[in-house]
């Protein structure tokens, strides 16, 4: 029953109708939006440059007109850089190079006018090899496309247009290809022997992980699992150096050293070349010097261990 004036009744009715229409429209739009989210994403279109897989190759060569050749190879299941420097390769950069094998080009052009694409005097030759499978695939890099800023490459008898990231990565100075982690991802830390460092010689400190638990060994020292895990989380876990360089150590200078014990009881020895203002550690088996900020360096060599004072 309506108790208001007759003039007000139509206005309220119109408002209810308008609100109902808006609600129906909103529900409909929501359903359409939800259905669109469920649809498969649009597949990137393009012409595949090759049919190879990234795992088909175990060697890479980078050849520049006026630089030394850079050579990578899988050794003992891991990528290494063999020249002009040596070390564990940063595998993220390796896979950036390899991913050209799976790249797509918006078009495939004829290679009858190499000068037009800067391919007559290439800036880079990128070669993938697998000698056991007798594979050798070469990519030649030319100039950049003025519109897309992508780059022309020649592969076999065709010219493609690909992302410039490939040649940018290849152009890094060789030392940048070396992994900046002093402990490799595949080297699982199982212990430390700090007993030869000045601050721990008196206590002969060693940290050992046994049956999943960390314990301290030495003279008048104790620690807890939680303390060591906290120390590792802010020091050695995921540790990367500020920079690295090849280094020849003069053993006559008597540098102090310590060991990191990794899987299969392998001993990785580091020599403390400098402690301040940066910590410089030389990894003997790699011939590389790793540089760390001073505060982080202090933490790396100072685990959360309590020294028990004798009464």
């Amino acid at each position: 029953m309506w108790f208001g004036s007759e003039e007000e009744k139509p206005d309220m009715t119109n408002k209810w109708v308008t609100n109902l229409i808006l609600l129906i429209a909103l529900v409909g739009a929501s359903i359409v939006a939800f259905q669109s989210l469920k649809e498969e994403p649009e597949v990137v279109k393009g012409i595949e440059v090759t049919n190879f897989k990234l795992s088909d190759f175990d060697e890479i060569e980078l050849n520049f007109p006026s630089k030394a050749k850079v050579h990578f190879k899988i050794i003992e299941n891991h990528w290494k850089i063999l020249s002009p420097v040596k070390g564990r390769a940063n595998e993220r950069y390796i896979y950036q190079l390899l991913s050209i094998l799976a790249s797509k080009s918006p078009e495939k052009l004829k290679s009858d006018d190499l000068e037009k694409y800067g391919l007559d005097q290439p800036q880079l030759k990128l070669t993938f090899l697998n000698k056991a499978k007798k594979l050798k695939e070469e990519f030649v890099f030319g100039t950049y496309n003025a519109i897309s800023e992508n780059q022309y490459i020649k592969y076999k008898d065709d010219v493609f247009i690909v992302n410039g990231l490939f040649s940018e990565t290849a152009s890094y100075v060789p030392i940048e290809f070396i992994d900046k982690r002093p402990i490799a991802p595949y080297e699982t830390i199982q212990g430390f022997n700090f007993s030869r460092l000045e601050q721990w010689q008196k206590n002969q400190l060693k940290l050992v992980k046994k049956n999943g638990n960390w314990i301290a060994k030495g003279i008048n020292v104790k620690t807890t699992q939680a303390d060591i895990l906290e120390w590792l989380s802010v020091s050695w876990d995921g540790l990367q150096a500020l920079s690295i360089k090849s280094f020849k150590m003069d053993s006559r200078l008597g540098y102090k050293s310590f060991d990191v014990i990794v899987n299969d009881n392998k001993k990785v020895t580091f020599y403390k070349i400098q402690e301040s203002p940066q910590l410089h550690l030389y990894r003997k088996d790699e011939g590389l010097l790793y540089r760390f900020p001073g505060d982080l360096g202090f933490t790396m060599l100072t685990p959360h261990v309590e020294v028990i004072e004798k009464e």
Side-chain angles (χ1 to χ4, degrees):
M1 180 179 291
W2 175 252
F3 293 100
S5 66
E6 290 300 320
E7 291 80 4
E8 294 174 342
K9 185 174 182 180
D11 290 341
M12 293 192 66
T13 303
N14 290 337
K15 288 180 180 178
W16 279 104
V17 171
T18 301
N19 289 339
L20 181 61
I21 292 172
L22 289 172
L23 178 62
I24 293 171
L26 180 61
V27 172
S30 299
I31 293 172
V32 171
F34 177 73
Q35 291 296 331
S36 65
L37 288 174
K38 292 172 63 179
E39 293 176 359
E40 292 293 326
E42 182 181 354
V43 177
V44 178
K45 296 179 180 179
I47 301 166
E48 291 185 345
V49 176
T50 83
N51 294 319
F52 288 106
K53 295 180 293 186
L54 277 61
S55 58
D56 286 333
F57 301 91
D58 60 7
E59 284 188 72
I60 303 174
E61 291 180 354
L62 306 177
N63 287 279
F64 296 90
S66 57
K67 297 181 184 178
K69 179 177 73 175
V70 184
H71 184 198
F72 305 93
K73 185 177 176 63
I74 292 179
I75 298 175
E76 296 178 350
N77 299 317
H78 303 289
W79 281 98
K80 304 289 179 70
I81 178 170
L82 303 183
S83 66
V85 294
K86 293 183 179 181
R88 284 180 283 113
N90 184 324
E91 296 199 350
R92 180 166 65 90
Y93 295 150
I94 294 296
Y95 288 110
Q96 283 180 3
L97 297 174
L98 284 167
S99 62
I100 196 172
L101 297 165
S103 64
K104 292 185 177 182
S105 171
E107 55 184 321
K108 183 166 64 173
L109 308 168
K110 296 293 184 183
S111 59
D112 52 0
D113 188 0
L114 295 180
E115 185 178 358
K116 178 180 178 181
Y117 307 114
L119 293 164
D120 57 326
Q121 295 181 332
Q123 303 176 18
L124 162 69
K125 289 183 180 180
L126 172 56
T127 307
F128 300 103
L129 303 106
N130 187 320
K131 293 174 182 176
K133 296 180 180 180
K134 297 182 180 180
L135 292 177
K136 182 178 181 180
E137 302 297 321
E138 185 176 84
F139 298 79
V140 179
F141 289 73
T143 55
Y144 288 82
N145 181 284
I147 298 174
S148 68
E149 296 185 354
N150 289 332
Q151 192 171 15
Y152 292 106
I153 66 165
K154 178 178 175 292
Y155 173 62
K156 295 190 182 298
D157 295 324
D158 296 300
V159 174
F160 298 93
I161 306 173
V162 299
N163 195 308
L165 175 66
F166 302 114
S167 64
E168 289 174 17
T169 301
S171 299
Y172 291 161
V173 294
I175 196 73
E176 285 299 314
F177 284 110
I178 297 181
D179 192 343
K180 290 186 174 65
R181 289 172 285 194
I183 299 295
Y186 49 85
E187 293 175 326
T188 305
I189 297 177
Q190 300 293 323
F192 296 86
N193 180 358
F194 290 127
S195 64
R196 299 188 300 275
L197 294 178
E198 301 96 320
Q199 63 268 46
W200 296 114
Q201 276 185 319
K202 178 180 176 181
N203 304 101
Q204 291 294 290
L205 177 64
K206 295 180 181 179
L207 300 176
V208 179
K209 188 177 183 182
K210 191 173 183 179
N211 298 324
N213 293 312
W214 284 95
I215 59 173
K217 290 186 175 183
I219 302 170
N220 300 327
V221 292
K222 68 176 183 177
T223 190
T224 66
Q225 171 87 345
D227 283 342
I228 295 304
L229 291 178
E230 181 186 359
W231 168 69
L232 287 170
S233 70
V234 297
S235 56
W236 289 88
D237 286 349
L239 179 65
Q240 291 206 43
L242 291 172
S243 63
I244 56 176
K245 70 173 185 178
S246 298
F247 185 75
K248 289 185 178 180
M249 184 183 71
D250 187 346
S251 59
R252 295 173 299 177
L253 297 178
Y255 296 113
K256 297 295 185 179
S257 65
F258 65 94
D259 304 319
V260 180
I261 312 303
V262 297
N263 36 302
D264 297 327
N265 210 34
K266 176 186 174 183
K267 183 172 68 174
V268 177
T269 300
F270 290 94
Y271 288 82
K272 188 177 65 173
I273 305 301
Q274 175 183 301
E275 191 163 11
S276 180
Q278 292 183 336
L279 176 67
H280 293 182
L281 295 180
Y282 171 67
R283 180 163 169 169
K284 183 179 179 181
D285 61 329
E286 294 181 336
L288 292 174
L289 187 75
Y290 294 81
R291 300 185 179 122
F292 303 94
D295 53 351
L296 175 59
F298 175 81
T299 304
M300 290 166 60
L301 305 184
T302 314
H304 297 170
V305 172
E306 181 181 352
V307 177
I308 305 168
E309 299 292 341
K310 288 186 177 181
E311 296 182 359

